[in-house]
Amino acid sequence: MSESSPGDFSVIKMKSNAGDLIANKKVIVVCGSGGVGKTTVSAALGLLAARGGANSLTLTIDPARRLADALGLDKIGNNPTRISDDDIAGAGVVETVRLSAMMLDAKTAWDQMITRFAPTTTVRDRIFKNRLYQNLSAAFSGGQDYAAAETLFNLADSGEYDLIVLDTPPAAHALDFLDAPHRLVELLNDNMVSLFLKPTTAGLSIFSRGGGAFLGFIEKLTGVELIRDISDFFSAIADLAGSFKTRANAMVDLLKSEDTLFLVVSGPDRLSINEALAFCTKLREMDLPFGGFIVNRLDENYLSDPEVKKEYGRFAARIGSSSTHHDQELCPPEVDALLNNFSNWARLAEVEETALDRLRESAPDRPIIRLPRFAHEIADLEGIARLSELLDDQ
Amino acid sequence: MSPDPDQAEELADLLDRRLLIVSGKGGVGKSTVSAALAVAAASAGKKTLLAITGDPRRYEQLFDGEKIGYRPREIEKNLFVTFVTPEESLGEYLTLNFKFTFIVKKLLANHFLRIFTTALPGSDLLLLIGKVYHDELKKKRGKPLYDIIVFDAPATGHLLTMLKTPANVMEVVRLGPLKKQGLDMQKLLTDSKRTGILIVSLAEEMPVNESIELNQKLIKGGFPIAAAVANAIIEAPGLGPEAIALAEKGLADPSGDCKKLNKLIGPRLRKALVECAVKTGSRRDRQRERLSRLQKNFERVIELPYIYSELSRRNVGILARRFFGDQNEK
């Protein structure tokens, strides 16, 4: 059976288990809005792959502290850590696995990148000393995205891991992280940048009247040192622009290749589902290989049992769907409470199923992997192990 | 149930401020809470501006399809909504302060923004606050344009950075109009009479931990916390373990009070009813444990109930009434 190529949405044999989906892939990119459980799902996917024999690495961006502790993550150094066999066994996993995890350190990633691309140590040091650069990786939000892309690329390139699962940065706009390499290149090539390097250069005639006032405005705003810092930064970085561009192209190639798969995680509510649909659309527009949806924290649907559904249907038809059955003088308040409660959850399950239908409609040839809400949030390896089993048990 | 007078007084205190900043991590229901708070303010007679960041489509759904753009638009009586972005804010700032042509302004705003945000970390966030601040200042015929602004801030990780930005940028900026404005912004953000921060959380361990941490950082920074909002609280009235046991017994009794009902409920449904009730009860109990942690760490905790149906304007209204202590769901 052949793999579908990116953008090819002809019907393929539906792989509904996560294990099948991720088999033979080198990179899995886990997308979704903030708060849907991307980090735990990413870790569970990493573990699932490891149980299948892969040497796998999960790269996270902003994990909650408890989870970070559980995975043995240390913010400093931008280095992977292998999770110990003891910890794995303690979580109830019987197979021997090679599972590593890593938390992105954007500052270090940038420093490593500059070191790699700077033609001389002088150029490198000039950049490192620049105040603009020092602020850039830490606070410039595009800087974190770019660092994530760069780190992913290095790791994939190194061939050290069979599979890398990337937990994408939480972003207000879909897939900011994917735009990051080219946005950086654009920034460096920006006409406005040349304004800083050579304020009186021609070719900016439409700005030439505004240009003078514009620079004056910045100077008034911020003081002369900043202009100097910016000018210095861009002229130093100009030497690296070519390398950034080549790198950005290589990153896009990796993301579009057959070895990569994008999965979109969503919550069960309509707002999340809308955002998941938007992610999917954007992936298709960017011609990136979309693998399917993972809907997380689904509430238990008691009506999925056909017998229960039949009995409830009969009952509701006779009593009506009013939530205050007690008014009907049929039963004592405690029974009424039970009935009210059940009908609340039944209504919610129906709403969630309708939302899932929209996912099905938008991508009928892609699986929707369903994960339940757990009684306790997942904050340790045992929870992740449980999740990895469910991912494969669809 | 009629509105609770104590709660009404607390709400009045909240609504006496000029700026309410709603914060919280992704997934806790920040948009819903912001919408509900804005509706509550509007219905209390305050001319309200709801300023949102993030995806406007969420709000379009919460307000049953009302389109939301950059220009503040009155979508209901007393309720204006605006979608704030750094680009638009910068464009507006340039318009107000410099005589550039429209095209130059647009290009500058977009291009310059990237450089600006690289040069001055957090400045995109500064622009968001700046926009809100200017809206707070706006007057028509000497009266403020808005009585209150509800600002749905970017997700928690950035809130502190955003609030500190005026102070940070002031270290870089030397002089001129921006410096004064920055200082005024700082004053506004730390003035508990004019500003209040609400931290939205779920009654779950990790959100509660993060909210408590954020609270401590905000207090340290001198920022005024108005309340924690615990969202999606399962109430399940009358669903204690004794009640469930009694109900189970009643449902199984062919000759008791429920016999008419029992004829309609088959055995499978009966089992599901009980199981569902037990699970709900445990979930509610766990939530109450988390809630009490919040209550220990925040002076004021507002509870908003779980919504079992589609998020819609009607449900936003139900939540809005909860700010008044009104539990009426009709």
Side-chain angles (χ1 to χ4, degrees):
Chain A
M1 191 209 61
S2 60
E3 284 290 330
S4 64
S5 48
D8 172 6
F9 290 98
S10 56
V11 175
I12 55 170
K13 177 171 171 238
M14 180 80 92
K15 297 173 173 174
S16 13
N17 287 334
D20 291 336
L21 262 186
I22 70 178
N24 304 319
K25 296 294 175 191
K26 297 203 175 115
V27 173
I28 307 283
V29 183
V30 179
C31 312
S33 324
V36 294
K38 264 186 302 184
T39 307
T40 44
V41 168
S42 300
L45 285 168
L47 177 55
L48 180 61
R51 291 167 100 159
N55 181 8
S56 94
L57 168 67
T58 298
L59 170 58
T60 69
I61 306 296
D62 184 24
R65 175 153 334 115
R66 266 192 73 186
L67 201 58
D69 288 343
L71 295 170
L73 294 176
D74 180 11
K75 182 113 198 178
I76 325 236
N78 216 37
N79 291 318
T81 339
R82 173 127 174 225
I83 297 177
S84 76
D85 291 338
D86 283 343
D87 286 342
I88 300 278
V93 177
V94 294
E95 303 97 323
T96 309
V97 299
R98 289 169 297 167
L99 176 64
S100 299
M102 178 178 161
M103 187 155 50
L104 179 76
D105 173 357
K107 178 95 184 48
T108 307
W110 271 92
D111 289 348
Q112 287 168 346
M113 207 183 348
I114 299 291
T115 306
R116 194 176 307 120
F117 294 145
T120 66
T121 52
T122 313
V123 170
R124 180 199 66 188
D125 292 341
R126 190 176 157 202
I127 294 173
F128 281 174
K129 281 204 195 76
N130 184 282
R131 193 165 58 152
L132 180 58
Y133 174 73
Q134 285 163 7
N135 289 321
L136 179 150
S137 55
F140 166 39
S141 64
Q144 190 190 59
D145 291 335
Y146 191 83
E150 170 69 21
T151 304
L152 171 69
F153 186 78
N154 276 336
L155 288 165
D157 214 25
S158 75
E160 204 180 323
Y161 297 96
D162 299 321
L163 174 70
I164 301 168
V165 181
L166 172 66
D167 168 25
T168 54
H173 306 290
L175 302 165
D176 276 2
F177 131 85
L178 293 169
D179 287 336
H182 279 113
R183 268 189 296 149
L184 183 66
V185 170
E186 268 171 36
L187 180 67
L188 296 179
N189 289 331
D190 204 309
N191 280 339
M192 298 305 286
V193 171
S194 355
L195 221 135
F196 283 99
L197 297 181
K198 299 167 205 153
T200 57
T201 301
L204 294 162
S205 50
I206 55 161
F207 296 124
S208 59
R209 260 185 71 110
F214 172 64
L215 271 184
F217 150 65
I218 303 178
E219 256 184 50
K220 273 207 205 94
L221 217 55
T222 60
V224 166
E225 290 92 351
L226 185 62
I227 304 283
R228 204 168 44 218
D229 284 342
I230 296 176
S231 173
D232 189 59
F233 174 74
F234 282 118
S235 71
I237 268 257
D239 290 337
L240 280 68
S243 309
F244 276 129
K245 183 157 180 144
T246 311
R247 195 70 156 175
N249 290 335
M251 281 191 217
V252 172
D253 287 343
L254 169 67
L255 294 174
K256 287 192 177 182
S257 82
E258 281 189 349
D259 297 328
T260 299
L261 199 67
F262 284 77
L263 297 173
V264 177
V265 183
S266 172
D269 60 288
R270 203 165 104 178
L271 295 181
S272 289
I273 299 253
N274 284 345
E275 283 167 6
L277 288 168
F279 270 104
C280 181
T281 305
K282 179 107 195 238
L283 285 169
R284 285 170 168 163
E285 276 168 20
M286 295 175 77
D287 199 27
L288 292 164
F290 168 62
F293 296 104
I294 300 178
V295 182
N296 198 14
R297 300 195 190 124
L298 275 162
D299 291 291
E300 184 159 359
N301 184 359
Y302 292 94
L303 298 181
S304 62
D305 177 333
E307 273 306 312
V308 176
K309 186 165 186 179
K310 211 175 4 164
E311 290 177 19
Y312 185 67
R314 245 190 353 240
F315 167 77
R318 292 291 296 274
I319 300 297
S321 54
S322 147
S323 64
T324 339
H325 305 100
H326 191 56
D327 285 352
Q328 319 235 356
E329 289 177 9
L330 270 182
C331 63
E334 60 271 3
V335 175
D336 184 39
L338 243 67
L339 290 165
N340 281 347
N341 183 54
F342 189 85
S343 67
N344 279 338
W345 292 109
R347 195 178 350 146
L348 181 66
E350 200 180 347
V351 166
E352 289 180 358
E353 269 312 311
T354 311
L356 286 180
D357 284 340
R358 294 178 61 220
L359 289 183
R360 269 186 279 271
E361 274 162 42
S362 86
D365 56 346
R366 292 290 185 269
I368 299 175
I369 293 170
R370 304 162 74 118
L371 296 173
R373 168 187 291 279
F374 285 84
H376 295 279
E377 298 151 68
I378 296 173
D380 57 22
L381 274 177
E382 207 180 315
I384 291 173
R386 237 178 111 193
L387 202 61
S388 78
E389 276 163 30
L390 287 168
L391 280 170
D392 210 24
D393 179 29
Q394 294 288 312
Chain B
M1 219 187 255
S2 52
D4 176 334
D6 285 335
Q7 188 114 353
E9 201 181 299
E10 288 201 344
L11 177 67
D13 168 74
L14 215 59
L15 297 187
D16 270 344
R17 304 187 207 212
R18 301 274 300 144
L19 174 62
L20 292 176
I21 302 176
V22 183
S23 78
K25 261 219 152 159
V28 298
K30 206 160 50 71
S31 326
T32 316
V33 171
S34 303
L37 185 55
V39 165
S43 69
K46 303 278 181 184
K47 207 149 169 230
T48 309
L49 176 68
L50 173 60
I52 66 165
T53 59
D55 194 343
R57 285 176 293 196
R58 276 196 170 235
Y59 280 93
E60 286 169 7
Q61 189 185 330
L62 289 169
F63 286 105
D64 288 349
E66 290 287 353
K67 284 279 167 252
I68 294 168
Y70 306 118
R71 281 225 172 150
R73 190 166 81 85
E74 190 169 15
I75 60 171
E76 292 174 15
K77 178 152 189 268
N78 280 334
L79 180 56
F80 295 75
V81 188
T82 177
F83 172 43
V84 185
T85 66
E87 291 82 2
E88 284 294 319
S89 308
L90 180 58
E92 207 176 296
Y93 184 85
L94 292 175
T95 307
L96 289 172
N97 291 284
F98 294 87
K99 310 247 183 293
F100 295 132
T101 64
F102 175 74
I103 292 173
V104 172
K105 183 203 77 179
K106 259 276 182 286
L107 285 168
L108 281 176
N110 289 320
H111 282 82
F112 182 48
L113 187 71
R114 270 181 285 181
I115 299 170
F116 196 42
T117 54
T118 307
L120 291 176
S123 50
D124 51 346
L125 301 170
L126 174 67
L127 285 164
L128 295 178
I129 291 245
K131 170 79 169 70
V132 173
Y133 163 76
H134 277 102
D135 286 341
E136 197 261 339
L137 287 185
K138 277 189 185 140
K139 290 201 202 314
K140 206 174 181 183
R141 289 188 263 275
K143 276 185 65 183
L145 204 55
Y146 306 107
D147 294 319
I148 190 167
I149 299 176
V150 176
F151 180 42
D152 176 7
T156 313
H158 296 128
L159 178 71
L160 211 57
T161 314
M162 182 177 71
L163 294 175
K164 286 189 178 160
T165 307
N168 288 338
V169 170
M170 287 314 107
E171 284 174 37
V172 178
V173 171
R174 303 296 156 190
L175 39 78
L178 189 61
K179 177 112 188 169
K180 172 159 196 312
Q181 285 160 2
L183 291 170
D184 286 345
M185 263 190 256
Q186 232 182 303
K187 279 198 211 127
L188 171 66
L189 293 175
T190 50
D191 179 358
S192 63
K193 288 208 170 52
R194 291 190 289 157
T195 297
I197 300 172
L198 293 101
I199 301 177
V200 182
S201 178
L202 295 172
E204 286 169 20
E205 187 172 340
M206 289 196 281
V208 166
N209 286 345
E210 282 162 359
S211 302
I212 292 174
E213 249 180 67
L214 177 61
N215 186 33
Q216 284 160 356
K217 288 189 189 147
L218 288 171
I219 292 174
K220 214 162 143 205
F223 298 107
I225 292 96
V229 179
N231 196 22
I233 300 300
I234 291 173
E235 292 171 336
L239 223 60
E242 300 89 6
I244 296 174
L246 202 61
E248 193 174 4
K249 212 165 139 227
L251 284 170
D253 184 354
S255 56
D257 288 338
C258 304
K259 60 173 181 267
K260 263 196 219 150
L261 193 67
N262 291 352
K263 289 209 187 83
L264 296 167
I265 298 175
R268 297 289 282 272
L269 180 56
R270 193 179 314 139
K271 187 157 173 258
L273 283 172
V274 172
E275 210 180 284
C276 182
V278 168
K279 283 203 178 137
T280 306
S282 333
R283 223 173 130 181
R284 179 206 48 210
D285 292 342
R286 271 194 308 277
Q287 277 194 337
R288 295 237 68 92
E289 273 169 40
R290 317 283 188 236
L291 259 177
S292 69
R293 268 197 75 211
L294 268 183
Q295 280 153 352
K296 287 198 184 78
N297 283 275
F298 286 86
E299 270 185 43
R300 189 187 290 168
V301 179
I302 299 169
E303 292 178 34
L304 295 179
Y306 201 101
I307 300 284
Y308 297 92
S309 52
E310 282 284 14
L311 280 172
S312 60
R313 175 59 181 85
R314 185 169 171 274
N315 286 324
V316 170
I318 290 172
L319 295 176
R321 287 198 283 281
R322 284 308 188 99
F323 280 103
F324 294 101
D326 180 351
Q327 301 207 13
N328 194 334
E329 301 218 346
K330 288 288 183 284

